[in-house]
Amino acid sequence: MLGWPGKPDQIAIIEYAGRRAKPVQHQVDRATGDGMYTVSWRIPGTLAASQTRRFLLRFDTSPVIGTPGTAIDVATSGNTLVVNNGDITLEHQREIGGFISRVTVAEATGALSWHDKVYDGTAYYLPTHEAERMEVTAAGPLRVVIEAASVYLGVNGEQPPSKPRAVYRFTNYAGLPITVVEALVTQEFAQQWKSLHFIEMGTGGAGFTNIATDGRGGRLEQTGRFFAGAKWGAVYNEQLLIAMCTATQPGAYDGGGGKHYLQYLRSGTASMTTLAYRWKDAILWGPGGQALEDRTVQRWHEILAAPPTVQVHFSTLATRLEAVTRIVNVKERALDKLSGKDWAVAHVGMTLARGGAAAAGKKITGGSFRETLSAIESCEQALNANSSEAELAQTGSGLAGLVLGHPYLGNDKAVYLFARPEHGAGLMSIYDRAGSREFLSIDPVHATLWEATVKTEAGGASFANNAQPCTVTFNTDAAGGQLLFEWSEHAAVDVVLRLGVGEALLRGRIEATIDEDKPSGFVSVAFPVVKGIKPLSPESQRDTILDTGRFGRERPSPLLSSKVHNIECPPGMQFTALTGDGLGFYFGEEDGLASRKQLSWAAAGDSLNFSIVHAVLGWGGDRPVRTYRSPGHVVLGPFRGDWYDAARIYRKWAITAPWCAKGRIHERADYPKWLIKAPYWSIGYLQHEKDIEDELNKQAFYEIPTMVAHVYNYFFTRHLDDRYPEYFPPKLGSAGFTAAIERLQSNGVRVVPYVNGSMWDMDTDSYRMEDAERRGAIWMSADGNLNITTSYGGGSSLATMCPGSAIWREKLSAITSELVGRYGADGVYFDFLTDHRGDCYNPEHGHPICGGNFWAKAVHDLYAGARAAAKERNPEAMITGEGIGEFCIDVHDTFLSLGESGSTAPLFLAVYHGYTNVYGGIYNNVDPVMLGRWWLMGCQNGWHG
Ligand SMILES: [Zn+2]
């Protein structure tokens, strides 16, 4: 992109190699913005790894290089655009939202359909109708770009209230077998979408026979299986292959129930809770399975995951930037001689100057001439600013107030600096004094702090701190310093932030209120929203973010992975951190209600954005929710160390949370002592007499005095997941099942049967006779849309039941009571609930409609009821369930880890060690290293099949 007023045909690209200067074939396309162009050129020959080649972009009319052997072009015919790229032909159809309807590679052709959509219980699609706009924005010979813009519509043509829309850009390069697909999805307000589906390509019409991913692959046999990869996924036959090369959750569904047309290949899905969402993936078009044998797909994944980088140099601007940077560095060294308020004032001046220099550095390498110039000018201004302006309260080393018009909160550990109140007071600088390190890089006008979304009769609206002025008051006392921000334009929003004495972490709360006379209510409140978080290690190479869902693990920084990373709470723990090179940046929320929230990391340019979005309690109901208040402190800031140190910060609060109130497990009277000593969990069946022997054989194999048999299939079904929740009488008969359990117990084996925590088979008599649908089925939307699963139970229709409904709570308590009381089971395992997260719109259930702690409380109370029922029959009985969720620690005795093979950051146990247990393992994986590692991490082994 160039901010240049000339004509495209005056641009030439010349390669310098040694003393030779050689014109290079190029293409110039107009881009968005006045005087902005996209320039593409073909690098002659090959570009080896870590090789640098230099090209000069010259504004003159050098000789034009002729069309090369491999050119790309695009032809328009009515509502069809045809891209011809060597032996690859792609047809875009306006009637299906501008998507690709047909691909040809050499002689092989495949018909494609698309299912890209947003979903919140009801699905709204892009490809079901004509694109509003489908146009060629670059026409070759090197690069063809097609843009399609559409709205999402329901099956009857209806538009959801937030009017979501998408612009898809398909970029093709001459001679390359890939199409880069970028989407920008926007909506008028931040409606909460369960899922946004990106590149969901129906491939059933293309005659594919196989699926391959970097994980599992196999033949396409229409059996309803999903094959998931982590890096790439492909479908293919002998002549044609289509692959997603840089997907977030690549995979393919092989078509269900003998229906090939259901088959699809996808890039990924994600929940969407913001105003805008960006996606990117690259589709590879190949000549059949050969492309896998030749490693073409794998290689393109690697190339696209770490593409060659282009740096732009403006020599005159670079000289001016060097000069101003030298002055910044000289002045920075002089800071050491200052202290107290003098230091604070000089620090703010330096922060602004550094910000300008950093912005200029970023813009110059990105090739933005005008923006570089204005950033250099703002740096020069900051260096010349009169630095006497400060209004600060001070107690000890704690300082709070306004410096050069910027809200300031600091002590001898850290300084937090905000944009001027007239610019909305976004968080623009976090400075670690001990390490002399700035953690943020964001210009004050775009700095953020919070964002809120309301729904109105007409639809909704979103607003944020940075578009509206606020007032700031401040004080300090012996405990530390405090800033109070107040906004009033759309709603009364107060944010209180405190920095304690000797603390580097900031603690804050938000409270937002809408006037009674306004017809709007809150849907979600995002706080904090922090933009411009800088990498901790050079180029993020050693940076990880902590995924505190489930067992806990480290993931590469989104700046490396290009993936948005969301941690959904519950069941995830309510903290995360960026770590790298011994440094950390912590975010957490100390919410003892375990309210619904999404902790979200995303790459934006060369820095990271982070936010915690809270869906407010009752937002889906008829009565507008006019107040939102932080249920606990939001905590953020720098720390030293790695994942373990981050876990220790959270643990300090977590063991005071309500779910830890019963204390450590070895001190708890209600914690079964036998479970503490159990060395192993099997997966058993107990449907025939011989299954009893199987369990005893497992116990003998490991030579263990006791173990826990986790038993399935003890009930009558055609399939495993049929007839729920009618488990009785068991297959062995009432007396037979009781005898089986007694026999195992007499040999030291404890028995914990499986129960599905969420599903009721709609074909059962009980579903009709107990009026289960009305009294307990989850409504996915306010119009009574049920959540029915047919793929799970071998075709039977299973209704998802609401944990907040009395009928379902009572049903699961009764089953628990029967299993523990009548049959003598040692406890019950609940599938689904702990690991899931949902909303329910059914007003008959008597719970708040959506958001907040609705789900956490409903699930927790359901378990509490079942646990009480079990304990009434046997005080030594236990309760467990699928997945890991901190909010259930007091009502679960242990958690199933779900297929974890290990982790470099076992965060859940680092936080809750001593307060709960985890068990599990990997099916068929019993090698000593695996078992030993699992034991070392503090888990009970088991689940090996
Ligand atoms: Zn409900």
Side-chain angles (χ1 to χ4, degrees):
M1 303 288 244
L2 305 160
W4 179 65
K7 289 200 181 98
D9 62 5
Q10 292 175 310
I11 293 173
I13 304 278
I14 291 167
E15 175 165 22
Y16 278 93
R19 271 173 298 166
R20 280 184 312 123
K22 203 174 145 201
V24 169
Q25 195 201 6
H26 71 280
Q27 180 180 331
V28 182
D29 300 301
R30 217 167 261 289
T32 49
D34 187 28
M36 304 298 276
Y37 299 91
T38 304
V39 183
S40 31
W41 65 92
R42 184 198 299 273
I43 298 181
T46 54
L47 182 65
S50 71
Q51 185 188 1
T52 299
R53 288 168 69 174
R54 290 178 178 80
F55 298 86
L56 178 69
L57 190 148
R58 215 164 66 189
F59 299 97
D60 64 10
T61 46
S62 296
V64 173
I65 310 299
T67 306
T70 49
I72 184 169
D73 66 42
V74 55
T76 307
S77 152
N79 276 338
T80 307
L81 292 175
V82 182
V83 179
N84 292 300
N85 187 10
D87 65 357
I88 298 171
T89 306
L90 303 168
E91 280 180 43
H92 286 258
Q93 294 289 349
R94 188 168 179 149
E95 281 82 1
I96 60 163
F99 287 100
I100 299 164
S101 61
R102 183 176 299 278
V103 53
T104 305
V105 178
E107 302 296 305
T109 288
L112 307 174
S113 60
W114 295 66
H115 310 132
D116 288 40
K117 64 187 178 233
V118 288
Y119 177 78
D120 69 346
T122 306
Y124 300 88
Y125 296 91
L126 287 175
T128 51
H129 49 279
E130 194 170 289
E132 283 180 351
R133 173 170 72 83
M134 178 174 87
E135 64 177 332
V136 177
T137 59
L142 288 183
R143 179 171 165 269
V144 165
V145 179
I146 291 168
E147 268 187 28
S150 275
V151 292
Y152 289 88
L153 294 179
V155 285
N156 300 315
E158 72 280 17
Q159 211 176 357
S162 66
K163 301 192 171 65
R165 50 190 305 116
V167 178
Y168 274 54
R169 182 188 290 158
F170 302 86
T171 303
N172 306 278
Y173 298 95
L176 304 188
I178 53 162
T179 300
V180 177
V181 187
E182 294 158 285
L184 172 61
V185 181
T186 54
Q187 55 180 343
E188 289 183 0
F189 63 93
Q191 192 168 339
Q192 309 289 296
W193 295 98
K194 286 191 172 65
S195 54
L196 167 63
H197 297 239
F198 177 66
I199 312 190
E200 205 160 284
M201 193 190 281
T203 50
F208 290 114
T209 52
N210 287 73
I211 155 98
T213 74
D214 57 309
R216 214 155 66 95
R219 282 192 66 80
L220 290 165
E221 288 167 332
Q222 302 163 31
T223 55
R225 288 172 302 172
F226 189 83
F227 295 86
K231 296 172 176 170
W232 55 266
V235 286
Y236 64 95
N237 55 28
E238 281 179 12
Q239 291 85 35
L240 188 62
L241 170 142
I242 304 178
M244 302 293 154
C245 290
T246 59
T248 53
Q249 302 140 321
Y253 179 67
D254 84 341
K259 290 169 184 165
H260 72 84
Y261 60 82
L262 296 173
Q263 183 192 102
Y264 66 81
L265 174 68
R266 78 159 191 212
S267 174
T269 67
S271 58
M272 176 167 164
T273 57
T274 49
L275 290 175
Y277 205 101
R278 285 178 190 276
W279 281 97
K280 188 176 182 182
D281 198 355
I283 308 173
L284 183 134
W285 317 99
Q290 192 63 37
L292 289 165
E293 283 167 36
D294 297 345
R295 293 189 55 78
T296 311
V297 178
Q298 296 90 324
R299 277 212 313 276
W300 272 103
H301 167 77
E302 284 157 19
I303 291 168
L304 293 163
T309 53
V310 176
Q311 263 199 335
V312 179
H313 300 278
F314 292 114
S315 46
T316 47
L317 284 182
T319 311
R320 191 163 159 190
L321 179 57
E322 272 168 32
V324 76
T325 307
R326 261 197 306 277
I327 303 172
V328 170
N329 290 339
V330 169
K331 286 203 167 191
E332 185 134 25
R333 282 195 291 276
L335 265 177
D336 289 346
K337 300 184 187 78
L338 304 174
S339 64
K341 290 185 187 178
D342 295 336
W343 184 90
V345 170
H347 169 71
V348 174
M350 285 312 302
T351 302
L352 296 173
R354 246 188 344 246
K362 234 187 256 185
K363 296 297 176 191
I364 200 166
T365 51
S368 303
F369 186 91
R370 280 187 302 210
E371 288 170 331
T372 308
L373 184 59
S374 91
I376 291 174
E377 282 167 354
S378 83
C379 177
E380 288 165 345
Q381 263 168 25
L383 284 172
N384 297 326
N386 174 4
S387 56
S388 63
E389 270 176 66
E391 206 187 326
L392 281 165
Q394 180 168 15
T395 307
S397 70
L399 286 168
L402 291 159
V403 178
L404 301 178
H406 290 269
Y408 179 103
L409 191 56
N411 60 17
D412 51 2
K413 288 276 168 53
V415 178
Y416 293 82
L417 194 63
F418 301 81
R420 290 192 168 124
E422 60 268 31
H423 292 144
L427 181 55
M428 57 172 278
S429 162
I430 299 173
Y431 187 73
D432 173 35
R433 291 192 66 168
S436 301
R437 189 183 182 95
E438 172 63 57
F439 281 81
L440 301 185
S441 171
I442 179 86
D443 84 80
V445 176
H446 294 111
T448 50
L449 193 59
W450 58 265
E451 188 179 304
T453 294
V454 296
K455 65 174 185 178
T456 62
E457 278 159 4
S462 291
F463 45 89
N465 70 288
N466 58 338
Q468 44 170 329
C470 66
T471 61
V472 180
T473 47
F474 54 88
N475 64 64
T476 57
D477 55 30
Q482 176 173 298
L483 294 173
L484 166 64
F485 302 85
E486 292 171 275
W487 291 262
S488 57
E489 206 166 291
H490 303 276
V493 179
D494 297 355
V495 169
V496 180
L497 299 173
R498 279 196 70 83
L499 184 63
V501 172
E503 293 276 337
L505 299 175
L506 188 71
R507 304 176 72 79
R509 285 176 184 263
I510 190 168
E511 179 167 346
T513 310
I514 296 172
D515 285 349
E516 286 295 327
D517 58 338
K518 284 192 182 153
S520 56
F522 287 111
V523 173
S524 67
V525 173
F527 174 72
V529 181
V530 179
K531 290 195 174 157
I533 301 166
K534 301 197 321 184
L536 298 179
S537 63
E539 290 175 346
S540 300
Q541 285 305 319
R542 290 177 297 280
D543 283 6
T544 60
I545 52 166
L546 302 186
D547 181 347
T548 48
R550 294 190 170 176
F551 195 71
R553 58 177 54 245
E554 292 177 295
R555 298 194 185 274
S557 163
L559 285 169
L560 294 173
S561 67
S562 309
K563 293 178 183 178
V564 172
H565 195 84
N566 294 331
I567 299 158
E568 306 283 353
C569 307
M573 289 186 287
Q574 305 169 84
F575 80 100
T576 179
L578 172 70
T579 63
D581 283 2
L583 293 169
F585 194 104
Y586 177 90
F587 284 101
E589 186 159 351
E590 298 175 349
D591 172 9
L593 299 175
S595 308
R596 179 82 162 261
K597 55 183 68 72
Q598 187 182 52
L599 282 57
S600 181
W601 290 102
D606 56 3
S607 61
L608 292 168
N609 293 345
F610 176 82
S611 64
I612 305 181
V613 180
H614 307 82
V616 307
L617 183 67
W619 70 265
D622 291 337
R623 288 168 53 91
V625 182
R626 298 189 193 279
T627 302
Y628 174 78
R629 207 174 275 127
S630 293
H633 276 114
V634 162
V635 182
L636 66 98
F639 69 96
R640 300 282 146 136
D642 58 16
W643 63 270
Y644 186 73
D645 302 276
R648 298 301 286 186
I649 295 172
Y650 188 67
R651 178 178 167 97
K652 212 170 170 182
W653 169 78
I655 59 174
T656 70
W659 44 84
C660 286
K662 289 178 176 174
R664 292 166 190 260
I665 52 181
H666 76 274
E667 299 161 344
R668 277 171 57 177
D670 72 327
Y671 198 90
K673 296 289 178 289
W674 61 264
L675 179 62
I676 297 178
K677 293 177 191 150
Y680 191 76
W681 283 74
S682 75
I683 304 176
Y685 296 99
L686 290 198
Q687 49 185 341
H688 309 293
E689 295 286 340
K690 73 160 183 56
D691 296 335
I692 305 169
E693 300 306 322
D694 278 356
E695 293 310 292
L696 295 174
N697 287 340
K698 290 173 199 169
Q699 185 193 12
F701 174 78
Y702 283 111
E703 299 176 34
I704 43 181
T706 173
M707 72 171 199
V708 191
H710 187 148
V711 302
Y712 289 78
N713 289 23
Y714 59 90
F715 41 85
F716 278 102
T717 58
R718 278 173 291 145
H719 306 278
L720 169 64
D721 299 302
D722 183 21
R723 243 173 55 104
Y724 294 144
E726 293 181 7
Y727 300 97
F728 308 117
K731 270 189 182 167
L732 290 168
S734 290
F737 190 50
T738 310
I741 291 176
E742 272 172 10
R743 166 121 194 266
L744 289 170
Q745 287 170 339
S746 69
N747 282 279
V749 177
R750 300 283 179 162
V751 181
V752 176
Y754 168 98
V755 160
N756 188 292
S758 288
M759 292 178 162
W760 200 323
D761 188 338
M762 299 170 83
D763 299 330
T764 52
D765 287 343
S766 55
Y767 189 78
R768 281 191 304 281
M769 291 174 68
E770 296 177 37
D771 200 9
E773 185 158 308
R774 186 184 61 83
R775 293 169 63 205
I778 277 192
W779 280 17
M780 302 276 288
S781 58
D783 54 11
N785 178 14
L786 295 183
N787 184 359
I788 298 164
T789 304
T790 51
S791 61
Y792 198 72
S796 39
S797 295
L798 302 166
T800 304
M801 302 305 291
C802 176
S805 67
I807 182 177
W808 192 237
R809 275 200 309 270
E810 286 157 15
K811 176 64 76 182
L812 291 181
S813 283
I815 292 166
T816 304
S817 188
E818 193 154 357
L819 282 168
V820 173
R822 180 169 184 182
Y823 297 104
D826 294 282
V828 175
Y829 165 90
F830 290 90
D831 205 10
F832 281 40
L833 274 179
T834 314
D835 202 41
H836 286 209
R837 176 182 54 260
D839 281 316
C840 174
Y841 289 81
N842 191 332
E844 289 212 32
H845 300 168
H847 54 64
I849 305 297
C850 306
N853 69 335
F854 151 66
W855 183 262
K857 184 176 182 332
V859 172
H860 181 275
D861 290 357
L862 180 148
Y863 284 137
R867 187 180 172 84
K871 293 282 184 192
E872 200 182 304
R873 299 303 197 102
N874 175 6
E876 283 282 286
M878 55 97 53
I879 297 290
T880 184
E882 181 191 33
I884 293 174
E886 61 180 4
F887 70 110
C888 293
I889 283 176
D890 59 329
V891 288
H892 264 19
D893 297 284
T894 183
F895 295 91
L896 173 63
S897 65
L898 271 187
E900 293 286 350
S901 60
S903 169
T904 55
L907 292 161
F908 184 74
L909 289 162
V911 171
Y912 288 112
H913 175 68
Y915 286 82
T916 190
N917 246 323
V918 172
Y919 72 102
I922 300 281
Y923 213 77
N924 279 339
N925 190 343
V926 292
D927 71 81
V929 171
M930 164 82 194
L931 300 190
R933 181 171 60 195
W934 198 241
W935 179 78
L936 281 170
M937 285 191 301
C939 309
Q940 287 178 318
N941 267 298
W943 254 62
H944 301 121

